[in-house]
């Protein structure tokens, strides 16, 4: 019911009043907006302009090209080859799983490759492209290209992939690169490696990683919100890594590897004058190329579980009892400490026993060497003479003297993972075995058995010390480097170590003469290589026991299982008058050093000295 | 249609063009301002869409449809609208119920009704039907309205608002609530009552919170602290502020806004087009845009005050204030003053449905203005 009659004029006035209020409120609210805009666009303009630029400009790292590796004569050992890889940018891929499944139906992609992709994808930003498969063949590239439209965010990239043209040759020296793992990611310079996918894993590739890697470059690019690059704004080119030249002579390396053949063993050859490693062989080896992009687990498992241990670097990490190789050093100690005369003799009945003990320490020659002086003891490798000498010296002096040559500690070669060997002492035994030192242990230390262990590298380096009459130089495998955009090679300066100084320098000559006779005299243990040698070699054979024989038993090679046979050892340097090469050879379970190891050394010396002739 | 014969005679001594325009029932100042806005919108859209001519063409077609709707509604005298008010409102309510029963779901909300030929949102009809209905109801009663009249008016508002909130479409339901409440405010209800209801609404805010869907709550939380989720929900607001702020006083120039051209700004041609505009045209450009909007607002309110009866007065006032709410809420949302609610910037944002509704409202405004009867004074 309408009680009131509408008053139009009053209603109109009331409305106008309300409309005016509404207008004022609206204008006030617009005032708020304007105040906000003044704040955003004028007061904070700088701040937001910076933020907009940060949004817009992205820094993209450009990987440097890894330096090449050559041998001393310029033979290429490691290079970078362009290879097609299939890469996925996760952010631009709508359904990652479906994309991978689709790609797998098109190309041959293993579970392992998928697994590795996911691991990499987790470590990267979603707009970075992650390789799924490396080394696509031309045919695979073509097959993908036809179907490309089905796979947004997937691309074929041409990248430089490390390649070792000589395959397994010198693998234990050169090493290989592989994809950076999480562990390495924690320690490396994240900025410099921001575009790098590979890092040196072993060998020279690892030791000289810093040299080979180079400096990362950058480009500032304008990107959109998805991270897609629209335009390059500026660029700082990367600095490629330095090319490096190894002191290895690859021909010598080939020769040594072929000489060892199917046998397990190691060869180290170096120039005693400057410490340059000429050959560093550990056999068997393996092909490093599959490791670069990721070896498939079955193949890796096969390498890992092989009884021949191809992955094990025997030259650097294999620790063997030096056996009779130690004798020239013990002889030197005798000359130096005891002022022993070369002519001093002792009688060798074929065995030795300590006073008050009926344990017989055997000589390798059952019937004995008879009356023996130091020279004969080295030439014929008489054990009894050295039992006696070791007893006279005592373990403390033996330890101190051998330590001066570098036994028991890493040589400091420019390769990682080197083992230090073992030079026993009273203190060592007390600390490690909680036992006192026994006299019998001194005896067997005198013939390089017992606790003493040395790596093939150590044997070569210590032999070089004799060759240089006490001069010690840190062994090295880097010969020279060539920095980017500089044609000149920078040779590495050899680094001298504290020399071994004897009371009488002629003692060197005496020991070297004995070692020379061990090779060249008809009774010498290595006469078979010295017989027809056109130059003079000083050497020493050795046989390292793998298998302990009981007191009343006799070692018969044919009766002992192959893997328990003695290791054959030989060290040598040549020419005696002016040594240019020192060699250590070890053939695992090879039997006698003179028969097995020495001929290998002879081949190396033959080749090396002839290749050094002025005519060639 | 006797009404418009007389004005022609009256204005007959003016220029011929005026006579023609008068016959078209268009308000020239409004039409010019709306065309200017549309042109600004097309230019902004061309830039924000990444120079996508196809998008600009589609928007042009929508604008054509919207102007046509405006023109057609301007031809219908306001008293016809008044007569149909309950029917339009009733029909709208039925459609809303139909949406809840048979509607199509998109993006988690049920808003669309598929009519075979085209899909549309009945809530758009209610944006106009509710102010028409409330104006009609209040105009039947003496003003200022009594409490009982107010209560009925509130009921008219609340029923469609709740139906739309159920879809859920919080932005539209609040907008429609506003358009109805504007009628009540303009009708002259006492300020005391206004203050009292404001208190009630504030007190029931927690209830509203519990009634919200998860994504709606998230929007409010994101508004309160956008940095808490800079790559997720806060991304829109952060990028929008960067776009506007980096535009500075003069702007980066048309087609040169890095935030919009490089696609950092989300929704850059739809709800966040204001940020794209602000980036490229700067503070000065925005002042020009605001001046245009203020002009339309003032002109609309002028038309309302010039209206000859209570119904048209209330309706015109409500429609123009609702238009202002669009602008205010959109700009506040884009500049980070209000939470993100999906309201477009009238005539600038890309998209059709709400544009047609807005232009329909202007058609009604023009009809109200041009169908006035001459009153003897």
């Amino acid at each position: 019911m309408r009680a009131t009659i509408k008053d139009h004029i009053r209603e109109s006035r009331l409305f106008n009043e309300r409309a005016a209020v509404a207008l004022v409120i609206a204008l006030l609210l617009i005032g708020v907006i304007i105040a906000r805009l003044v704040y955003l666009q004028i007061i904070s303009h700088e701040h937001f302009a910076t933020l907009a630029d940060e949004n817009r400009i992205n820094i993209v790292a450009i990987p440097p090209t890894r330096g090449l590796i050559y041998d001393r004569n310029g033979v290429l050992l490691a290079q970078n080859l362009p290879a097609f890889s299939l890469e996925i940018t996760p952010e631009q891929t709508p359904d990652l799983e479906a994309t991978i499944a689709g790609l797998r139906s098109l190309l041959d992609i293993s579970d392992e490759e998928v697994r590795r992709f996911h691991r990499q994808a987790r470590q990267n930003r979603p707009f970075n492209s992650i390789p799924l498969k490396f080394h696509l063949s031309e045919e695979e590239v073509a097959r993908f290209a036809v179907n490309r439209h089905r796979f947004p965010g997937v691309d074929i990239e041409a990248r430089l992939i490390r390649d070792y043209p000589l395959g397994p040759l010198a693998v234990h020296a050169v090493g290989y690169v592989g994809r950076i793992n999480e562990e390495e990611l924690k320690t490396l310079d994240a900025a410099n490696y921001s575009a790098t996918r590979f890092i040196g894993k072993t060998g020279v590739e690892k030791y000289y990683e810093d040299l080979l890697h180079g400096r990362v470059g950058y480009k500032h690019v304008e990107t959109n919100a998805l991270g897609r690059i629209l335009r390059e704004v500026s660029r700082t080119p990367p600095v490629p890594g330095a090319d490096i030249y190894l002191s290895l002579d690859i021909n010598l390396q080939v020769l040594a590897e072929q000489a060892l053949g199917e046998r397990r063993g190691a060869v180290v050859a170096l120039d005693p004058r400057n410490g340059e490693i000429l050959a560093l062989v550990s056999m068997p080896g393996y092909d490093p190329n599959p490791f670069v992009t990721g070896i498939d687990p079955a193949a890796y498992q096969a390498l890992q579980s092989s009884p021949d241990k191809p992955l094990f670097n025997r030259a650097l990490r294999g620790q063997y009892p030096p056996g009779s190789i130690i004798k020239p050093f013990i002889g030197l100690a005798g000359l130096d400490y005891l002022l022993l005369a070369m002519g001093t003799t002792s009688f060798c009945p074929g065995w030795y026993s300590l006073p008050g003990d009926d344990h017989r320490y055997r000589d390798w020659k059952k019937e004995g060497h008879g009356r023996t002086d130091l020279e004969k003891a080295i030439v014929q490798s008489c054990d009894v003479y050295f039992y006696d000498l070791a007893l006279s010296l005592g373990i403390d002096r033996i330890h101190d003297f051998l330590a001066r040559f570098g036994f028991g500690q890493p040589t400091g070669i420019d390769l990682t993972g080197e083992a230090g060997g073992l030079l026993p002492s009273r203190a060592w035994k007390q600390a490690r075995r909680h036992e006192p030192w026994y006299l019998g242990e001194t005896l067997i230390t005198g013939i390089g058995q017992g606790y003493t262990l040395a790596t093939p590298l150590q044997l070569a380096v210590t032999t070089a010390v004799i060759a240089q009459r006490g001069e010690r130089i840190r062994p090295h495998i880097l010969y020279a480097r060539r920095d980017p955009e500089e044609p000149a090679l920078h040779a590495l300066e050899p680094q001298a170590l504290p020399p071994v100084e004897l009371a009488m320098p002629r003692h060197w000559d005496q020991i070297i003469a004995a070692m020379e006779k061990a090779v060249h005299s008809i009774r010498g243990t290595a006469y078979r290589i010295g017989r027809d040698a056109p130059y003079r070699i000083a050497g020493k054979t050795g046989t390292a026991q793998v298998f302990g024989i009981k007191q009343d038993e006799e070692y018969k090679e044919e009766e002992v299982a192959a893997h328990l046979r003695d290791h054959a050892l030989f060290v040598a340097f040549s020419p005696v008058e002016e040594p240019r090469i020192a060699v250590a050879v070890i053939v695992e379970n090879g039997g006698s050093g003179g028969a097995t190891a020495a001929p290998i050394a002879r081949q190396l010396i033959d080749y090396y000295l002839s290749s050094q002739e002025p005519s060639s | 249609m006797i009404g418009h014969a007389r004005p022609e005679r009256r204005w007959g001594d003016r220029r011929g063009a005026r006579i023609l325009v008068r016959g078209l029932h268009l308000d020239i100042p409004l039409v010019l301002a709306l065309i200017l806005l549309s042109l600004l919108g097309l230019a902004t859209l061309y830039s924000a869409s990444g120079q996508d001519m196809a998008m600009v063409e589609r928007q042009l077609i929508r604008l054509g449809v919207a102007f046509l709707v405006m023109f057609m509604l301007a031809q219908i005298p306001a008293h016809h609208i008044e007569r149909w008010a309950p029917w339009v409102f009733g029909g709208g309510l039925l459609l809303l119920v139909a949406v809840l029963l048979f509607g199509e779901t998109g993006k988690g909300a049920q808003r669309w009704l598929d009519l075979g030929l085209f899909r549309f949102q009945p809530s758009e009809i209610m944006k106009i039907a509710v102010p028409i209905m409330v104006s009609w109801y209040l105009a039947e009663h003496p003003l200022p309205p009594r409490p009982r009249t107010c209560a009925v008016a509130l009921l008219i508002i609340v029923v469609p608002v709740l139906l739309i909130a159920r879809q859920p479409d919080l932005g539209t339901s609040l907008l429609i609530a506003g358009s109805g409440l504007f009628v009540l405010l303009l009708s002259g209800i006492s300020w005391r009552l206004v203050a009292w209801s404001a208190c009630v609404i504030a007190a029931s805010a927690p209830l509203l919170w519990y009634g919200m869907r998860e994504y709606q709550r998230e929007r409010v939380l994101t508004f309160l602290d956008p940095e808490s989720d800079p790559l997720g929900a806060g991304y829109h607001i952060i990028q929008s502020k960067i776009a506007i702020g980096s535009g500075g006083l003069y702007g980066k120039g048309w087609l040169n806004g890095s935030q919009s051209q490089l696609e950092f700004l989300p929704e850059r041609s739809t709800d966040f087009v204001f940020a794209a505009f602000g980036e490229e045209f700067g503070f000065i450009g925005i002042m020009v845009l605001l001046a245009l909007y203020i002009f339309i607002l003032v002109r609309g309110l002028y038309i309302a005050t010039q209206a000859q009866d209570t119904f048209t007065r209330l309706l015109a006032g409500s429609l123009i204030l609702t238009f202002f709410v669009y602008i205010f809420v959109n700009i506040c949302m884009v500049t980070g003053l209000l939470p993100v609610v999906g309201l477009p910037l009238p005539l600038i944002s890309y998209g059709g449905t709400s544009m047609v509704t807005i232009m329909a409202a202007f058609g009604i405004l023009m009809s109200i203005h041009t169908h006035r009867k001459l009153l003897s004074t």
Side-chain angles (χ1 to χ4, degrees), chain A residues 352 361-362 383-391 443-444 447:
Chain A
Y352 186 84
Y361 295 89
R362 276 186 276 209
D383 291 337
V384 169
Y385 182 91
F386 283 98
Y387 291 144
D388 197 33
L389 180 54
L391 196 64
L443 297 194
I444 57 172
I447 63 159

Side-chain angles (χ1 to χ4, degrees), chain A residues 2 4 6 10-12 14-16 18 26 29-30 33 36-37 40-41 45 55-56 223-225 230, chain B residues 139-141 143 146 185 188-189 239 244-246 248 258-259 262-264 278 283 286 294 305 310 313 335:
Chain A
R2 297 201 190 155
T4 325
K6 285 175 82 74
R10 183 171 169 248
E11 280 185 14
S12 174
L14 186 60
F15 178 87
N16 290 352
R18 289 291 160 110
L29 289 177
I30 286 177
I33 289 176
R36 177 67 169 172
L37 290 168
L40 287 176
Q41 297 197 288
H45 169 63
N55 253 347
R56 182 169 71 92
T223 59
N224 67 7
L230 305 174
Chain B
E140 299 283 296
H141 296 81
L143 297 180
R146 296 170 177 183
L185 280 174
I189 56 166
Q239 294 300 338
I244 297 171
S246 65
S258 64
Q259 285 288 104
L262 304 177
E263 302 173 19
F264 288 101
F283 183 76
I286 292 178
I294 292 172
T305 56
T310 308
R313 205 150 46 214
T335 54

Side-chain angles (χ1 to χ4, degrees), chain A residues 268 270 277 280 314-320 322 325 329 402 405-413 418-423 452-465 475 571 584:
Chain A
V268 177
L270 55 82
I277 301 288
L280 187 91
R314 291 173 162 81
L316 243 57
R317 299 181 59 81
Q319 305 189 92
Y320 303 91
I325 304 291
F329 298 93
L402 292 182
F405 281 80
F407 282 104
Q409 63 218 6
T411 62
I413 192 177
E418 184 194 1
L422 177 57
L423 184 57
T452 315
L453 295 173
T455 65
L457 176 66
Q458 279 179 321
L459 294 180
V461 168
T462 50
T463 303
V465 174
V571 297

Side-chain angles (χ1 to χ4, degrees), chain A residues 193-426:
Chain A
Y193 277 80
S194 46
T196 307
R197 290 178 192 278
F198 301 104
I199 191 168
K201 298 281 186 181
T202 64
V204 167
E205 290 275 31
K206 177 170 182 167
Y207 193 89
Y208 287 110
E209 174 63 29
D210 290 348
L211 218 54
L212 290 164
H213 179 265
R215 243 2 270 175
V216 70
Y218 290 101
K219 53 185 177 183
H220 286 83
V221 292
E222 196 174 271
T223 59
N224 67 7
L226 295 174
R228 195 181 308 121
I229 292 170
L230 305 174
R231 187 167 71 89
E232 191 175 309
V233 181
S234 69
R235 170 187 278 259
T236 311
V239 180
D243 293 343
I244 64 178
Y245 288 75
L246 303 186
S247 56
L248 294 183
D249 179 332
I250 206 66
N251 293 324
L252 198 66
Q253 181 86 16
V254 171
L255 200 67
E257 294 193 5
Q258 283 172 352
L260 271 173
E262 297 293 302
R263 292 172 293 187
R264 282 167 283 115
V267 176
V268 177
L270 55 82
D271 187 332
R273 296 167 298 179
N274 49 28
E276 288 170 5
I277 301 288
L278 302 171
L280 187 91
V281 176
S282 172
M283 289 298 275
Y286 57 93
D287 185 0
N289 286 308
F291 284 84
V292 175
T293 50
I295 189 166
D296 101 90
Y300 184 70
Q301 194 53 43
L303 285 174
Q304 190 72 288
S305 59
S306 163
D308 289 342
K309 294 186 179 167
L311 298 177
F312 183 58
N313 190 342
R314 291 173 162 81
L316 243 57
R317 299 181 59 81
Q319 305 189 92
Y320 303 91
S324 303
I325 304 291
I326 210 74
K327 286 174 181 168
F329 298 93
I330 301 289
L332 265 179
L335 293 173
D336 194 46
Y337 280 117
L338 309 175
L339 298 176
L340 189 76
M342 275 311 273
T344 313
T345 61
S346 57
F347 184 76
C348 167
W351 54 271
Y352 186 84
S353 64
L354 287 165
D357 184 353
D358 58 359
H359 183 96
R360 285 189 169 192
Y361 295 89
R362 276 186 276 209
D363 196 286
W364 65 271
K365 196 172 175 186
K366 212 177 151 194
E367 59 277 18
H369 293 91
R371 191 139 292 280
T372 308
D373 62 5
L374 179 55
E375 185 179 276
K376 183 180 170 187
I378 288 173
V379 172
Q380 299 188 19
S381 203
C382 170
D383 291 337
V384 169
Y385 182 91
F386 283 98
Y387 291 144
D388 197 33
L389 180 54
L391 196 64
S392 309
L393 283 165
I395 185 61
D396 299 329
R397 286 196 286 203
I398 291 175
H399 171 270
D400 293 350
F401 191 76
L402 292 182
R404 284 157 69 189
F405 281 80
F407 282 104
Q409 63 218 6
T411 62
I413 192 177
D414 46 355
L415 286 172
T416 48
E418 184 194 1
L422 177 57
L423 184 57
S425 66
R426 283 180 209 278

Side-chain angles (χ1 to χ4, degrees), chain A residues 364-550:
Chain A
W364 65 271
K365 196 172 175 186
K366 212 177 151 194
E367 59 277 18
H369 293 91
R371 191 139 292 280
T372 308
D373 62 5
L374 179 55
E375 185 179 276
K376 183 180 170 187
I378 288 173
V379 172
Q380 299 188 19
S381 203
C382 170
D383 291 337
V384 169
Y385 182 91
F386 283 98
Y387 291 144
D388 197 33
L389 180 54
L391 196 64
S392 309
L393 283 165
I395 185 61
D396 299 329
R397 286 196 286 203
I398 291 175
H399 171 270
D400 293 350
F401 191 76
L402 292 182
R404 284 157 69 189
F405 281 80
F407 282 104
Q409 63 218 6
T411 62
I413 192 177
D414 46 355
L415 286 172
T416 48
E418 184 194 1
L422 177 57
L423 184 57
S425 66
R426 283 180 209 278
W428 168 81
K429 197 175 176 206
Q430 193 60 51
R432 297 298 298 269
R433 304 260 166 134
H434 309 291
E435 273 179 39
W437 185 264
Y438 298 122
L439 219 47
E441 291 166 345
T442 306
L443 297 194
I444 57 172
T445 303
I447 63 159
Q449 302 285 358
Y451 300 120
T452 315
L453 295 173
T455 65
L457 176 66
Q458 279 179 321
L459 294 180
V461 168
T462 50
T463 303
V465 174
I466 294 180
Q468 290 299 103
R469 291 165 165 77
E471 193 182 72
R472 287 175 68 208
I473 295 161
R474 184 194 294 268
H476 58 93
I477 198 163
L478 182 70
Y479 175 63
R481 57 186 279 191
R482 183 168 57 206
D483 292 321
E485 286 160 36
E486 261 186 73
L489 282 180
H490 293 283
L492 188 86
E493 285 296 312
Q495 188 188 350
L497 298 172
V500 180
E501 278 165 5
L502 298 185
M504 291 189 181
R506 71 178 158 85
H507 290 154
W508 289 114
D509 304 324
Q510 288 167 346
I511 288 296
I512 291 169
M515 288 173 73
E516 188 180 350
K517 279 194 175 163
V519 178
H520 292 282
S521 81
I522 195 154
R523 305 297 297 275
T525 50
Y527 180 61
R528 81 172 66 201
I529 69 159
R531 195 165 37 195
D532 56 349
Y535 39 80
R536 305 298 281 181
I537 302 170
K540 183 72 197 81
T541 58
T543 306
Q545 269 179 28
V546 176
F547 178 58
I549 23 174
K550 296 198 187 83

Side-chain angles (χ1 to χ4, degrees), chain A residues 4-151:
Chain A
T4 325
I5 291 170
K6 285 175 82 74
D7 180 345
H8 285 281
I9 292 166
R10 183 171 169 248
E11 280 185 14
S12 174
R13 208 175 54 232
L14 186 60
F15 178 87
N16 290 352
E17 203 182 288
R18 289 291 160 110
V21 170
L23 181 63
V24 168
I25 292 176
L27 290 178
L28 281 177
L29 289 177
I30 286 177
V32 169
I33 289 176
I34 292 174
R36 177 67 169 172
L37 290 168
V38 167
Y39 166 75
L40 287 176
Q41 297 197 288
I42 295 167
I43 298 173
S44 308
H45 169 63
E46 290 287 319
H47 169 68
F48 287 114
T50 311
L51 288 181
D53 258 3
E54 280 171 6
N55 253 347
R56 182 169 71 92
I57 303 296
N58 258 7
I59 295 174
V60 175
I62 316 169
T65 310
R66 196 173 176 87
L68 306 179
I69 303 177
Y70 299 95
D71 90 333
R72 64 188 301 127
N73 299 317
V75 177
L76 192 60
L77 305 179
Q79 61 183 337
N80 307 304
L81 288 184
F84 292 112
S85 58
L86 186 67
E87 307 203 348
I88 302 182
T89 309
E91 196 183 60
Q92 292 170 19
T93 312
D95 184 346
L96 201 54
E97 287 312 314
T99 300
I100 291 175
L103 288 170
R104 294 188 76 169
S105 67
L106 196 65
L107 304 168
D108 179 32
I109 297 166
S110 71
D111 290 342
E112 173 59 20
E113 280 164 326
V114 174
R115 208 172 54 77
R116 208 175 280 135
F117 168 80
H118 284 302
R119 199 171 57 218
Q120 296 261 316
R122 277 198 303 278
Q123 292 171 16
N124 275 279
R125 307 276 299 274
F127 52 75
N128 286 347
S129 78
I130 314 287
L132 175 62
K133 184 178 172 62
F134 287 100
H135 297 299
L136 265 72
S137 67
E138 299 270 329
E139 198 238 316
E140 285 173 314
V141 171
R143 211 182 313 152
F144 173 76
V146 174
N147 291 280
R148 153 174 262 141
H149 62 276
R150 287 169 45 203
F151 303 106

